Amino acid sequence: MERIFVFLRSPGAATSVLLGATVLALILANSPSSEQYFQIVNHHIGNLTILEWVNDALMAIFFLFVGLEVKRELVSGELNTNAKRVMPGIAALFGVLTPAFIYYLIAGFHSEYIHGWAIPTATDIAFSIGIISALGSRVPNSMKVFLTALAVIDDLIAIIVIAIFYASSIHMMYLGAAVVVVAALIYCNKQGYVRPLPYIILGFILWYCVLKSGLHATMAGVILAMTIPSKGKRGRKYVRPMQHWEHLLSNWVSFLIVPIFAFFNAGVDLRNVSVNDLTHPVVLGVALGLIIGKQIGIFGAVFAMVKCGLVPMPTEANWKHVYGTAIVCGIGFTMSIFVSILAFEPGHAQEMAKGGVILGSLISALFGYIFLRLVGANRKECHIGVYHNC
């Protein structure tokens, strides 16, 4: 039991659990038990299937956690000043635009596939930071901070993209009700309410209204996160509700919600996949968007900013570290699969998109890890300034 707790506290534990859930889903989907697996995935509980409950309800909690991370970084973290936001912000923007452009060049000319342009634009925080953490001192701390800030901004862009481009028909009555609930949440914040109960109750109501409004239900989690007070006073005691919520949700999200999402969504049936499927426009567009698009967009943006004197080179880092980190950003797993569900109806195109995500993320993870491990020895050169201003 003690060994389990030691493992759960290790930097790569969440990544390992997520990877295990993904592998298990793929095994079951391609085994003699595949029929039972897909029956469970599509089993109805109430008006929704288990898959829909996972994607609409559990992922709302995931997005609540993501929203809290974004707000924390903006309020008191690595994004709390404009100067700190410049490098990761511009890098994240080009790390979204370039994969989308590559996807469009490959699959955009097929009208039935164009809606998947946003799939390769996301970076998976858990996987990418897990890879960097596993490398330890081989990667400078400045690059870990850069990756964290970039991934947070990347998630913020993904949230905006989902809200704008992947909403279904809007039902104004429910949308109006959601606006009223948001106003009530803001009122609680401004009045200094720090106890969780009002936010929990209003959060549930907001989730239902957003679900029925035509916006994706996960948006409720982000909106709720933005209204949680960063600090306040309960009696004579100062408290930090936002920090408390984030700490409380962290393990639940890392070790339960995200693995459950992977288990129910990563089960792609590969038994009938042919070589021709590997050249399918959606597979190629998504995979190359993640593998190549992220590298070009992020590394190119940082290179241009440093060379133009807009930002300094990250401390103790060289261009190999920057490039290796850009490769790791091609791991799009959780958010990319989520966007593929929104972009395509269940069927061949969605399966191809998921296949592209798994392929692109796997190659990015392996290539990024090997590359950064090999160049880690160059850190000594950074300490004496060989690369610091290059």
Side-chain angles (χ1 to χ4, degrees), residues 206-234:
L206 178 63
W207 175 81
Y208 180 79
C209 292
V210 173
L211 176 67
K212 293 293 185 178
S213 72
L215 295 174
H216 200 274
T218 52
M219 293 299 100
V222 179
I223 296 168
L224 175 60
M226 295 301 152
T227 64
I228 303 299
S230 58
K231 57 185 177 180
K233 197 174 181 181
R234 182 186 296 173

Short mmCIF file of all heavy atoms in Angstrom, two decimals, residues 206-234:
data_model
loop_
_atom_site.label_atom_id
_atom_site.label_comp_id
_atom_site.label_asym_id
_atom_site.label_seq_id
_atom_site.Cartn_x
_atom_site.Cartn_y
_atom_site.Cartn_z
N LEU A 206 -25.98 25.94 -13.64
CA LEU A 206 -25.33 26.49 -14.83
C LEU A 206 -25.02 25.38 -15.83
O LEU A 206 -25.24 25.54 -17.03
CB LEU A 206 -24.05 27.21 -14.42
CG LEU A 206 -23.22 27.80 -15.56
CD1 LEU A 206 -24.00 28.88 -16.29
CD2 LEU A 206 -21.90 28.36 -15.03
N TRP A 207 -24.51 24.25 -15.32
CA TRP A 207 -24.20 23.12 -16.20
C TRP A 207 -25.44 22.67 -16.98
O TRP A 207 -25.38 22.46 -18.20
CB TRP A 207 -23.64 21.96 -15.38
CG TRP A 207 -23.42 20.71 -16.21
CD1 TRP A 207 -22.36 20.44 -17.01
CD2 TRP A 207 -24.31 19.59 -16.32
NE1 TRP A 207 -22.53 19.22 -17.63
CE2 TRP A 207 -23.71 18.68 -17.22
CE3 TRP A 207 -25.55 19.28 -15.75
CZ2 TRP A 207 -24.31 17.46 -17.56
CZ3 TRP A 207 -26.15 18.07 -16.09
CH2 TRP A 207 -25.53 17.18 -16.98
N TYR A 208 -26.56 22.54 -16.29
CA TYR A 208 -27.79 22.09 -16.95
C TYR A 208 -28.25 23.11 -17.99
O TYR A 208 -28.63 22.73 -19.11
CB TYR A 208 -28.89 21.89 -15.90
CG TYR A 208 -30.20 21.42 -16.50
CD1 TYR A 208 -30.38 20.08 -16.84
CD2 TYR A 208 -31.25 22.32 -16.72
CE1 TYR A 208 -31.57 19.64 -17.40
CE2 TYR A 208 -32.45 21.89 -17.28
CZ TYR A 208 -32.60 20.56 -17.62
OH TYR A 208 -33.78 20.13 -18.19
N CYS A 209 -28.20 24.39 -17.66
CA CYS A 209 -28.64 25.43 -18.60
C CYS A 209 -27.74 25.48 -19.83
O CYS A 209 -28.23 25.62 -20.96
CB CYS A 209 -28.65 26.80 -17.91
SG CYS A 209 -29.91 26.99 -16.63
N VAL A 210 -26.43 25.35 -19.62
CA VAL A 210 -25.49 25.37 -20.75
C VAL A 210 -25.68 24.13 -21.62
O VAL A 210 -25.65 24.21 -22.85
CB VAL A 210 -24.03 25.48 -20.25
CG1 VAL A 210 -23.05 25.33 -21.41
CG2 VAL A 210 -23.82 26.81 -19.56
N LEU A 211 -25.90 22.97 -20.98
CA LEU A 211 -26.14 21.73 -21.71
C LEU A 211 -27.34 21.87 -22.64
O LEU A 211 -27.32 21.46 -23.80
CB LEU A 211 -26.37 20.57 -20.73
CG LEU A 211 -26.75 19.21 -21.34
CD1 LEU A 211 -25.57 18.64 -22.12
CD2 LEU A 211 -27.18 18.23 -20.24
N LYS A 212 -28.41 22.47 -22.12
CA LYS A 212 -29.64 22.62 -22.90
C LYS A 212 -29.59 23.80 -23.88
O LYS A 212 -30.39 23.87 -24.81
CB LYS A 212 -30.83 22.83 -21.96
CG LYS A 212 -31.17 21.61 -21.10
CD LYS A 212 -31.67 20.47 -21.95
CE LYS A 212 -32.13 19.30 -21.12
NZ LYS A 212 -32.67 18.19 -21.95
N SER A 213 -28.63 24.71 -23.69
CA SER A 213 -28.60 25.92 -24.51
C SER A 213 -28.05 25.69 -25.91
O SER A 213 -28.30 26.46 -26.82
CB SER A 213 -27.74 26.99 -23.82
OG SER A 213 -26.37 26.64 -23.88
N GLY A 214 -27.26 24.61 -26.08
CA GLY A 214 -26.62 24.37 -27.37
C GLY A 214 -25.13 24.57 -27.31
O GLY A 214 -24.39 24.08 -28.17
N LEU A 215 -24.64 25.32 -26.31
CA LEU A 215 -23.20 25.38 -26.06
C LEU A 215 -22.77 24.06 -25.45
O LEU A 215 -23.60 23.34 -24.88
CB LEU A 215 -22.86 26.53 -25.11
CG LEU A 215 -23.14 27.95 -25.60
CD1 LEU A 215 -22.87 28.95 -24.48
CD2 LEU A 215 -22.30 28.28 -26.82
N HIS A 216 -21.50 23.72 -25.56
CA HIS A 216 -21.10 22.46 -24.96
C HIS A 216 -21.09 22.61 -23.44
O HIS A 216 -20.63 23.62 -22.90
CB HIS A 216 -19.72 22.01 -25.45
CG HIS A 216 -19.50 20.55 -25.23
ND1 HIS A 216 -19.02 20.05 -24.04
CD2 HIS A 216 -19.75 19.47 -26.00
CE1 HIS A 216 -18.95 18.74 -24.10
NE2 HIS A 216 -19.40 18.36 -25.28
N ALA A 217 -21.58 21.58 -22.76
CA ALA A 217 -21.78 21.65 -21.31
C ALA A 217 -20.49 21.91 -20.55
O ALA A 217 -20.51 22.45 -19.44
CB ALA A 217 -22.42 20.35 -20.82
N THR A 218 -19.35 21.54 -21.12
CA THR A 218 -18.08 21.74 -20.43
C THR A 218 -17.76 23.22 -20.21
O THR A 218 -16.97 23.57 -19.34
CB THR A 218 -16.93 21.09 -21.21
OG1 THR A 218 -16.97 21.54 -22.57
CG2 THR A 218 -17.07 19.57 -21.19
N MET A 219 -18.37 24.09 -21.02
CA MET A 219 -18.14 25.53 -20.86
C MET A 219 -18.58 26.00 -19.47
O MET A 219 -18.05 26.97 -18.93
CB MET A 219 -18.88 26.32 -21.93
CG MET A 219 -18.38 26.12 -23.36
SD MET A 219 -16.66 26.64 -23.55
CE MET A 219 -15.82 25.06 -23.48
N ALA A 220 -19.56 25.29 -18.89
CA ALA A 220 -20.03 25.65 -17.55
C ALA A 220 -18.91 25.54 -16.53
O ALA A 220 -18.80 26.35 -15.61
CB ALA A 220 -21.20 24.76 -17.15
N GLY A 221 -18.05 24.51 -16.69
CA GLY A 221 -16.94 24.33 -15.77
C GLY A 221 -15.97 25.49 -15.81
O GLY A 221 -15.51 25.98 -14.78
N VAL A 222 -15.66 25.96 -17.03
CA VAL A 222 -14.73 27.10 -17.19
C VAL A 222 -15.32 28.36 -16.58
O VAL A 222 -14.64 29.10 -15.86
CB VAL A 222 -14.41 27.32 -18.68
CG1 VAL A 222 -13.46 28.51 -18.85
CG2 VAL A 222 -13.81 26.07 -19.29
N ILE A 223 -16.59 28.62 -16.87
CA ILE A 223 -17.24 29.84 -16.37
C ILE A 223 -17.29 29.82 -14.84
O ILE A 223 -17.00 30.83 -14.19
CB ILE A 223 -18.67 29.96 -16.95
CG1 ILE A 223 -18.60 30.13 -18.47
CG2 ILE A 223 -19.41 31.14 -16.33
CD1 ILE A 223 -19.93 29.97 -19.17
N LEU A 224 -17.63 28.67 -14.27
CA LEU A 224 -17.68 28.55 -12.81
C LEU A 224 -16.30 28.82 -12.21
O LEU A 224 -16.18 29.54 -11.21
CB LEU A 224 -18.15 27.15 -12.41
CG LEU A 224 -18.14 26.82 -10.92
CD1 LEU A 224 -19.04 27.77 -10.15
CD2 LEU A 224 -18.56 25.37 -10.69
N ALA A 225 -15.25 28.28 -12.84
CA ALA A 225 -13.89 28.48 -12.33
C ALA A 225 -13.53 29.95 -12.25
O ALA A 225 -12.88 30.39 -11.29
CB ALA A 225 -12.88 27.75 -13.23
N MET A 226 -13.95 30.73 -13.24
CA MET A 226 -13.60 32.15 -13.27
C MET A 226 -14.29 32.96 -12.18
O MET A 226 -13.88 34.07 -11.87
CB MET A 226 -13.94 32.74 -14.65
CG MET A 226 -13.11 32.17 -15.77
SD MET A 226 -11.34 32.42 -15.52
CE MET A 226 -10.65 31.02 -16.39
N THR A 227 -15.33 32.38 -11.58
CA THR A 227 -16.06 33.11 -10.53
C THR A 227 -15.65 32.69 -9.12
O THR A 227 -16.09 33.30 -8.14
CB THR A 227 -17.58 32.91 -10.68
OG1 THR A 227 -17.91 31.53 -10.48
CG2 THR A 227 -18.06 33.35 -12.06
N ILE A 228 -14.83 31.65 -9.01
CA ILE A 228 -14.37 31.22 -7.68
C ILE A 228 -13.37 32.26 -7.15
O ILE A 228 -12.39 32.58 -7.82
CB ILE A 228 -13.69 29.84 -7.75
CG1 ILE A 228 -14.63 28.79 -8.35
CG2 ILE A 228 -13.22 29.40 -6.36
CD1 ILE A 228 -15.90 28.57 -7.59
N PRO A 229 -13.58 32.81 -5.96
CA PRO A 229 -12.68 33.84 -5.43
C PRO A 229 -11.26 33.31 -5.25
O PRO A 229 -11.06 32.17 -4.81
CB PRO A 229 -13.30 34.20 -4.07
CG PRO A 229 -14.70 33.69 -4.13
CD PRO A 229 -14.68 32.50 -5.02
N SER A 230 -10.28 34.14 -5.59
CA SER A 230 -8.89 33.73 -5.39
C SER A 230 -8.50 33.83 -3.91
O SER A 230 -7.65 33.08 -3.43
CB SER A 230 -7.95 34.58 -6.25
OG SER A 230 -8.10 35.96 -5.94
N LYS A 231 -9.12 34.76 -3.20
CA LYS A 231 -8.86 34.90 -1.76
C LYS A 231 -10.07 35.56 -1.10
O LYS A 231 -10.92 36.15 -1.77
CB LYS A 231 -7.60 35.71 -1.50
CG LYS A 231 -7.60 37.10 -2.11
CD LYS A 231 -6.27 37.77 -1.91
CE LYS A 231 -6.25 39.15 -2.60
NZ LYS A 231 -4.95 39.84 -2.42
N GLY A 232 -10.16 35.44 0.19
CA GLY A 232 -11.28 36.02 0.92
C GLY A 232 -11.10 35.84 2.41
O GLY A 232 -10.04 35.42 2.88
N LYS A 233 -12.13 36.15 3.13
CA LYS A 233 -12.05 36.11 4.60
C LYS A 233 -13.27 35.40 5.16
O LYS A 233 -14.40 35.72 4.80
CB LYS A 233 -11.96 37.53 5.14
CG LYS A 233 -11.46 37.62 6.57
CD LYS A 233 -11.25 39.07 6.98
CE LYS A 233 -10.72 39.17 8.40
NZ LYS A 233 -10.54 40.58 8.82
N ARG A 234 -13.02 34.40 5.99
CA ARG A 234 -14.10 33.69 6.68
C ARG A 234 -13.94 33.96 8.16
O ARG A 234 -13.04 33.41 8.81
CB ARG A 234 -14.04 32.20 6.38
CG ARG A 234 -15.18 31.41 7.04
CD ARG A 234 -15.00 29.92 6.83
NE ARG A 234 -15.09 29.55 5.44
CZ ARG A 234 -14.83 28.32 4.97
NH1 ARG A 234 -14.46 27.37 5.81
NH2 ARG A 234 -14.93 28.06 3.69
#
